[in-house]
Structure formats: structure tokens, C-alpha cells
Amino acid sequence: MAEPIPRPLPRSFYERDVCEVAQDLLGCLLVHRVGGRRVGGRIVETEAYGGPGDPGSHADRAPTGRARIMFGRPAIAYVYFTYGMHYCMNAVTGPEGVGSGVLLRAAEPMWGIEEMRARGFPPRLPDHMLMSGPGRLCRALGVGREHNGVELTRGPLTIRAGGAAEQVRSGPRVGLTRDDGRRWRYWIASPSVSRR
DNA sequence: TCTATGATCGTA
DNA sequence: ACGATCATAGAG
């Protein structure tokens, strides 16, 4: 028997300001059930997107196209394809109609390391890098186009309470980074796991 | 350790 | 054309 894992976060968790949700997702558990196997880990880096006045957000424009789902029901996955080869995964937040979500940037692998490696990572890549970065995170979990719009409060792909206060050793760090010299982005990370 | 570059395709 | 990225090659 596998040991029990915490319950999924309720929808009310996501029905708040995107920045609050981004912070509170640190330390929570991202779990995927695939082929009868549990794959996943502890969320250690998030990034809030959307709300009014975020030019970097896909939801900055009209509620149409791929970002339409960001304006919809909270606690739904927004998965998009980028750079012709990577998927990225968000959790939709806030009230319906606002257009916001939390990008899951990195997690610490806890279950299914073998299943992750079977997805063809570089052979030398250390375990802690398998879910480090939004593209690798989705690849490790086997999350792709078919997961766009899925429910995160139940079903195979869930986010669960993880005892953030205990797990995130030094509390969240909030950063301001520059993406390729053009655009400023806020991100929130646990210092307990290095990305390098 | 770092900087530069290619891969590859949906969206605007 | 360009991007909410990643892997690799080459220089220092």
C-alpha cells in the first residue's frame, strides 16, 4: 500500500488574488497519476501572471484564443505550447472573467523519478533538475496539450496541500528578474531547492 | 562558468 | 515574426 498523500486543494484556494495564490502554492504537492504510477513533487517556484496591467501575461489581451481559459473557472489547468517544443502549466486563479493564473516554474521531484527519466532527459541531469523550469516540469510529469482545461481539484492531475509552512524552510523569496533584457517579471521561490 | 545559437510551431 | 524554454557547443 502506498502511503496516503494530502487532499487536493479546494477550488476556494484558487478564488483569490493571483499573487496570494502563487505564494501559497509554494510547498504544495503537484501530483500526476499516469499508468497507475504516481509522479510528482513539491512546488518550489511559481510566477503570478495576469490581473489588470500585466503586459507579460497571455491574458493581457481579449479573452480569446489560447488564453481564453485564463478568464474562466479557477482551479483549472492552463497548458500552452511554446518555442515549438515545450509545454508550460498554469493554475487558473481569481474570479471568473479576470484572466489570471500561476505558472508552475519548478518543483522538487518526490515520486516517479524513474518514470520521469523515461521521458528522455539528458542522462547526466541530476534528479533535482528534472522538474526545474516550466518546460522540464511538464515533461517530467507527462503534461501536454491534452491537459489544457483539466480540473486540478480532482482526477489524475492535482495540486495538494503540502504543509508549506513546514516544508519551505526559510519562507518565500520574491524576486524581480529580466527576461532576455526586455521584460520584467516577478517570481516567487522557495530557497530550499537550488535550480542550478 | 559564461555566452551564443539552434530546434520548432502555435499564435498574433 | 516571435515567444511565460531547453540543450549543446565553444570560449575564457
Side-chain angles (χ1 to χ4, degrees), chain A residues 80-95:
Chain A
Y80 68 92
F81 184 60
T82 191
Y83 289 98
M85 51 179 62
H86 301 293
Y87 291 95
C88 295
M89 172 182 175
N90 296 253
V92 175
T93 65

Side-chain angles (χ1 to χ4, degrees), chain A residues 9 13 24-30 41-43 159-164:
Chain A
L9 297 168
F13 179 93
D24 293 347
L25 278 175
L26 295 177
C28 291
L29 307 174
L30 177 60
R42 184 168 64 88
I43 297 169
I159 302 177
R160 293 162 183 264

Side-chain angles (χ1 to χ4, degrees), chain A residues 69-84:
Chain A
I69 194 161
M70 291 183 77
F71 293 83
R73 203 174 187 210
I76 297 295
Y78 165 48
V79 179
Y80 68 92
F81 184 60
T82 191
Y83 289 98

Side-chain angles (χ1 to χ4, degrees), chain A residues 34-48:
Chain A
V34 46
R37 299 285 189 167
R38 180 189 298 161
V39 180
R42 184 168 64 88
I43 297 169
V44 297
E45 186 173 342
T46 60
E47 188 166 4

Side-chain angles (χ1 to χ4, degrees), chain A residues 11-12 18 21 28 42 62 67-68 72 78 84 94 99 108 117 123 130 142 146 155-156 158 168 185 187 190 194:
Chain A
R11 193 175 315 283
S12 57
V18 64
V21 179
C28 291
R42 184 168 64 88
R68 184 166 41 86
Y78 165 48
E108 174 186 344
R117 292 217 176 266
L130 291 171
E146 68 272 28
T158 52
V168 180
R185 304 193 179 291
W187 52 271
S190 160
S194 150

Side-chain angles (χ1 to χ4, degrees), chain A residues 103-117:
Chain A
L103 174 67
L104 274 28
R105 296 199 59 89
E108 174 186 344
M110 293 178 64
W111 304 284
I113 303 283
E114 294 307 311
E115 284 76 9
M116 295 180 189
R117 292 217 176 266

Side-chain angles (χ1 to χ4, degrees), chain A residues 50 90 100 106 117 124 141:
Chain A
N90 296 253
S100 57
R117 292 217 176 266
R124 303 282 195 167
L141 290 175

Side-chain angles (χ1 to χ4, degrees), chain A residues 86-169:
Chain A
H86 301 293
Y87 291 95
C88 295
M89 172 182 175
N90 296 253
V92 175
T93 65
E96 281 198 40
V98 167
S100 57
V102 176
L103 174 67
L104 274 28
R105 296 199 59 89
E108 174 186 344
M110 293 178 64
W111 304 284
I113 303 283
E114 294 307 311
E115 284 76 9
M116 295 180 189
R117 292 217 176 266
R119 302 202 175 269
F121 285 95
R124 303 282 195 167
L125 197 69
D127 285 354
H128 78 273
M129 293 291 291
L130 291 171
M131 304 180 77
S132 179
R136 282 189 291 257
L137 182 148
C138 282
R139 182 169 176 187
L141 290 175
V143 163
R145 167 178 255 64
E146 68 272 28
H147 297 94
N148 191 30
V150 304
E151 180 64 60
L152 294 174
T153 62
R154 56 191 299 166
L157 183 61
T158 52
I159 302 177
R160 293 162 183 264
E166 157 193 350
Q167 301 283 350
V168 180
R169 297 195 247 281

